[in-house]
């Protein structure tokens, strides 16, 4: 407790920050739903209800005040970020399991908001990806690639009716397609112009995916301009990812994808502006944020090219979450009038 005055008041609060992050997510969510169907909205609703229920249950068991904690919006934001990482037509129980795990084991197990060392949404996503790889990698194709896109009722049926086939509307993501084709010895140019694989790639980084990333980029710029997040983490993450992609692409353009595909073909923009910048689990010092962002970009690139997953944002964030306290310790800014840190 602060015991002495004077005190400086600030209009910022957890609930206000979460509200503005939610505003910034709207362009990305709208574009996502427009291009890949309303299933993403169903999963956002499912995840939000599950997260709020799980948080209320734990708070009740811990005999902590529920109203103020539930109203801060942190549980809903974690739920939305998790839902955006889940295939839009995945079974309903995937989202319920992931959101419940994220809140219970990623947040409340450590004492609630402000104490969690890991990003709850990415912890839930990593659990789902490791435990249920089939359900977590069955992405639908963008509507523009389908002869008949699923309606809202079709999406609801696919999400809640187990055993319904998705083969006619599913498709690998651009990053997954590249990884699979490279493993088969097919170069990037041949993959991008192939009769079957080529149709997945749009102008720069994949039909649908490039538009979604641009929308999340616009939302991220809003957060930067309104100073809701600091610039160091997004810039360092995207910069290191782009730099590595450029260097390797120049060395062997048939083996390593272009920087544009890395930036706009996966979850780079969502990760850089909305996930890596988590104020609790990320670094807090200016130099620490830069190192933190560089680490995420480097690990993401390594996983995408030499790891077992086509994307690597979630694992990169979680691995760097482990290092955040140490990085902060060694990057403390110099105190005015004090010695060298």
């Amino acid at each position: 407790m602060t015991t002495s005055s004077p005190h400086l008041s600030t209009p910022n609060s957890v609930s206000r920050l979460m509200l503005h992050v939610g505003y910034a997510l709207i362009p990305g969510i709208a574009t996502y739903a427009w291009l890949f169907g309303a299933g993403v909205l169903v999963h956002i609703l499912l995840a939000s209800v599950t997260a709020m229920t799980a948080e209320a249950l734990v708070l009740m068991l811990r005999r902590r005040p529920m109203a103020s904690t539930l109203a801060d919006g942190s549980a809903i934001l974690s739920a939305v970020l998790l839902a955006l990482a889940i295939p839009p037509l995945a079974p309903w129980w995937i989202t319920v399991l992931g959101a419940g795990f994220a809140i219970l084991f990623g947040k409340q197990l450590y004492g609630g908001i402000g104490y969690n060392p890991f990003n709850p949404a990415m912890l839930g996503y990593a659990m789902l990806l490791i435990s249920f790889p089939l359900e977590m990698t069955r992405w639908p194709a963008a509507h523009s690639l389908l002869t008949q896109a699923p309606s809202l009722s079709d999406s609801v049926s696919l999400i809640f009716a187990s055993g319904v086939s998705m083969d006619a509307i599913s498709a690998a993501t651009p990053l997954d397609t590249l990884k699979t084709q490279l493993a088969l010895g097919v170069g990037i140019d041949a993959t991008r112009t192939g009769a079957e694989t080529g149709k997945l790639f749009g102008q720069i980084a994949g039909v649908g995916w490039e538009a979604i990333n641009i929308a999340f980029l616009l939302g991220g710029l809003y957060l930067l301009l309104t100073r809701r997040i600091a610039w160091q983490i997004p810039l360092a993450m995207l910069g290191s990812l782009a730099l590595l992609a450029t260097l390797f692409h120049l060395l062997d353009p048939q083996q390593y994808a272009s920087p544009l595909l890395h930036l706009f073909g996966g979850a780079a923009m969502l990760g850089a502006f909305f996930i890596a910048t988590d104020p609790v689990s990320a670094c807090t010092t200016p130099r620490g944020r830069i190192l933190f962002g560089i680490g995420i970009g480097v690990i993401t690139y390594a996983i995408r090219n030499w790891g077992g997953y086509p994307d690597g944002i979630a694992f990169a964030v979680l691995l760097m979450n482990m290092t955040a306290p140490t990085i902060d310790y060694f990057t403390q800014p110099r105190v005015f009038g004090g010695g060298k840190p």
Side-chain angles (χ1 to χ4, degrees), residues 1-250:
M1 176 180 292
T2 303
T3 56
S4 61
S5 59
H7 303 294
L8 294 176
S9 63
T10 171
N12 293 324
S13 65
V14 174
S15 57
R16 183 180 292 271
L17 174 62
M18 299 300 164
L19 189 64
H20 281 275
V21 174
Y23 292 155
L25 281 169
I26 290 175
I29 294 174
T31 306
Y32 198 169
W34 176 45
L35 294 171
F36 286 87
V40 63
L41 302 179
V42 176
H43 281 289
I44 287 175
L45 180 62
L46 271 174
S48 299
V49 172
T50 303
M52 293 289 281
T53 304
E55 183 139 279
L57 180 62
V58 175
L59 292 172
M60 183 176 65
L61 293 175
R62 294 176 61 198
R63 298 182 180 179
R64 298 296 178 89
M66 280 195 287
S68 59
T69 303
L70 294 176
D72 67 20
S74 60
I76 289 181
L77 181 61
S78 294
V80 172
L81 293 175
L82 173 67
L84 292 174
I86 292 175
L89 299 179
W92 63 270
W93 51 266
I94 283 285
T95 297
V96 172
L97 276 178
F101 186 88
I103 297 300
L104 296 178
F105 292 90
K107 182 179 178 184
Q108 290 297 336
L109 184 66
Y110 299 98
I113 187 170
Y115 298 99
N116 49 291
F118 300 102
N119 184 298
M122 290 302 96
L123 203 61
Y125 173 77
M127 183 278 291
L128 291 174
L129 188 60
I130 294 171
S131 304
F132 308 101
L134 178 62
E135 288 80 3
M136 289 296 290
T137 53
R138 299 189 72 182
W139 289 85
H143 283 181
S144 59
L145 297 175
L146 300 173
T147 54
Q148 184 175 359
S151 63
L152 174 60
S153 60
D154 293 335
S155 298
V156 172
S157 297
L158 287 165
I159 292 170
F160 288 96
S162 60
V164 176
S165 175
M166 275 187 54
D167 293 342
I169 56 175
S170 62
T173 64
L175 290 177
D176 195 15
T177 300
L178 276 185
K179 197 173 191 67
T180 302
Q181 293 300 106
L182 287 171
L184 295 173
V186 181
I188 290 178
D189 283 349
T191 300
R192 298 197 63 154
T193 57
E196 291 299 321
T197 57
K199 61 186 180 183
L200 297 175
F201 296 90
Q203 298 299 315
I204 54 175
V207 175
W209 296 99
E210 53 201 17
I212 291 173
N213 272 284
I214 290 172
F216 282 128
L217 171 61
L218 294 176
L221 293 177
Y222 165 77
L223 293 178
L224 285 178
L225 293 174
T226 56
R227 298 188 176 183
R228 304 296 173 184
I229 60 173
W231 59 268
Q232 290 95 341
I233 291 177
L235 183 63
M237 176 188 159
L238 296 175
S240 59
L241 180 62
L243 179 62
L244 282 175
T246 302
L247 291 175
F248 280 94
H249 182 67
L250 290 175

